[in-house]
Every structure is written in C-alpha cells, then in structure tokens.
Amino acid sequence: MRVLGATFLLLLLGAVLISAIGVVWTRHESRVLFVELTRLQNQRDELNIEYGRLELEQATWAEPRRVDSEARQKIGMVNPRPQDIQLVGR
C-alpha cells in the first residue's frame, strides 16, 4: 500500500512538473509571438505611410498641367494648327 501511495505521489509530482514546464513554454511562446506581432504592425504602419506618399507623388506626376508642361518642354510637343486638324467620320 505504501509503495502504491509513493508511486501515485511521484506520478502527481511528474504531472505538476510537466504542467509547470508547459505553462512556462506557453508564456515564452506568447511573448515571442507578441514581439513578432508588434514588429509586423510597425512594418504595416511604415508601409501604409510609404503607400500614401507614393499615391501623393503619383497624383502630382499625373496632374494634367504637369503632363502638358513636361510634354512641351522635354519633347517639344505643341498644339496642332487649325489646318492640321482633320475630322474623321464613322
């Protein structure tokens, strides 16, 4: 009977130790995952800022007055003369 009680006590002690190690491991994993989540959220925020900056830059470059100015200055485009305009019918 005493041997059975000692064996049962050792099994309970083993279960408690395994449970304690599981709790420590789970907390560690939770912290590691939280750090990774924070890093990814910061990266997301930086990418959102960069995306907004790029949208603003695209809007600036695509502005009709700027396109017209660039076309005239860099490649010498001009408005056609009235005699150079032809209407095409269907």
Side-chain angles (χ1 to χ4, degrees), residues 72-84:
R72 290 178 189 280
Q73 291 175 2
K74 293 196 176 173
I75 57 177
M77 291 184 79
V78 295
N79 286 336
R81 298 174 302 180
Q83 62 266 26
D84 293 335

Side-chain angles (χ1 to χ4, degrees), residues 44-63:
R44 179 205 58 203
D45 294 343
E46 290 170 8
L47 289 171
N48 280 336
I49 290 169
E50 176 73 7
Y51 181 73
R53 189 187 63 75
L54 290 172
E55 279 186 320
L56 181 60
E57 184 178 346
Q58 179 188 22
T60 301
W61 282 102
E63 187 176 293

Side-chain angles (χ1 to χ4, degrees), residues 2-3 6 9 12 15 17 25 27 29 31-32 35-36 38 43 45 47 51 55 57 60 76 84-85 87:
R2 257 171 108 56
V3 175
L9 187 61
L12 284 177
L17 288 176
W25 177 258
R27 283 211 171 176
E29 283 297 310
R31 288 182 180 131
V32 167
V35 168
E36 178 71 7
T38 303
Q43 182 181 10
D45 294 343
L47 289 171
Y51 181 73
E55 279 186 320
E57 184 178 346
T60 301
D84 293 335
I85 298 174
L87 295 176

Side-chain angles (χ1 to χ4, degrees), residues 6-36:
T7 305
F8 183 68
L9 187 61
L10 284 176
L11 284 175
L12 284 177
L13 179 63
V16 167
L17 288 176
I18 290 172
S19 176
I21 290 171
V23 168
V24 170
W25 177 258
T26 303
R27 283 211 171 176
H28 172 71
E29 283 297 310
S30 175
R31 288 182 180 131
V32 167
L33 291 173
F34 180 75
V35 168
E36 178 71 7

